[in-house]
Amino acid sequence: DSDGQVVEPVLLAGTKGSLGYLAGITAYYNYASQWSIATGLWFRYQAIRTERLALAGEGTSSVRYRSIRLPILFNYRSSEHTLSPFNSFGPMIDIPLSARIVASRAGESTQQLRLDSESGPVFNFMLGAGGIYQVNSQIALTGQPTVTYRLGRLGGARTNFRTFELGLQMQAIYTF
């Protein structure tokens, strides 16, 4: 959908850089003394930016992706000390929402194009290793660097554009 603008091809070739964020809620269930399972509902935003090809003229193109992420994470806490290691792993499912392309060209107007969301969920797998700080009996803080591998779509749908995401996950946990 071009929002009424004349559309030219937008190629995402060359060096790419990406920044984004996740925000949402997560529920934990402790099923053993050191193990828990977590699931939640997160909003994900990611912007991929690349320089335009020389043939297309000077400028940049960026794609702004949005999705709802559903994690199913297994967590391991090695001790009950105030400060202890905290590790997480598990699958995550992204449900894509519409995306937007912004193409900026020297001497031309900026194009803003809305992309319809692609059908079907996108599957990911995350690993995280960090720590948990138990503030008191009800409040804990976690922090862990994470790496997420995008597996892609399954069931005959496209599975290209496999990538890694590096992140820093910070959480405040309230136990009741």
Side-chain angles (χ1 to χ4, degrees):
D1 185 0
S2 67
D3 293 339
Q5 299 180 45
V6 176
V7 178
E8 69 174 52
V10 176
L11 302 174
L12 294 176
T15 305
K16 295 177 185 72
S18 175
L19 288 175
Y21 63 86
L22 287 167
I25 58 171
T26 305
Y28 285 83
Y29 174 71
N30 293 318
Y31 62 90
S33 65
Q34 296 173 315
W35 288 92
S36 65
I37 188 167
T39 189
L41 184 66
W42 300 346
F43 174 80
R44 178 177 174 263
Y45 173 85
Q46 180 183 19
I48 298 173
R49 181 183 164 111
T50 184
E51 296 296 322
R52 292 172 55 86
L53 296 174
L55 285 170
E58 195 175 311
T60 59
S61 296
S62 65
V63 181
R64 299 172 184 172
Y65 292 101
R66 300 175 309 137
S67 64
I68 300 297
R69 180 166 277 182
L70 306 170
I72 303 169
L73 300 175
F74 295 91
N75 306 295
Y76 177 72
R77 180 178 181 170
S78 63
S79 75
E80 294 295 323
H81 293 12
T82 303
L83 182 63
S84 66
F86 186 76
N87 303 299
S88 302
F89 64 93
M92 296 188 295
I93 301 167
D94 286 346
I95 300 167
L97 303 173
S98 65
R100 185 165 289 279
I101 293 179
V102 177
S104 301
R105 302 172 310 257
E108 299 285 335
S109 64
T110 299
Q111 280 186 311
Q112 295 192 24
L113 310 171
R114 188 175 54 246
L115 301 175
D116 292 332
S117 62
E118 297 182 36
S119 63
V122 178
F123 296 89
N124 305 278
F125 192 84
M126 188 201 86
L127 293 172
I132 186 167
Y133 176 71
Q134 193 72 45
V135 177
N136 58 37
S137 63
Q138 292 185 302
I139 298 173
L141 304 172
T142 68
Q144 58 183 350
T146 62
V147 61
T148 302
Y149 181 66
R150 179 183 166 126
L151 300 168
R153 289 178 164 78
L154 304 178
R158 293 184 336 177
T159 57
N160 61 343
F161 196 54
R162 294 185 182 190
T163 60
F164 285 96
E165 292 177 15
L166 300 177
L168 178 61
Q169 187 177 80
M170 306 295 288
Q171 296 183 4
I173 301 171
Y174 180 77
T175 305
F176 50 105

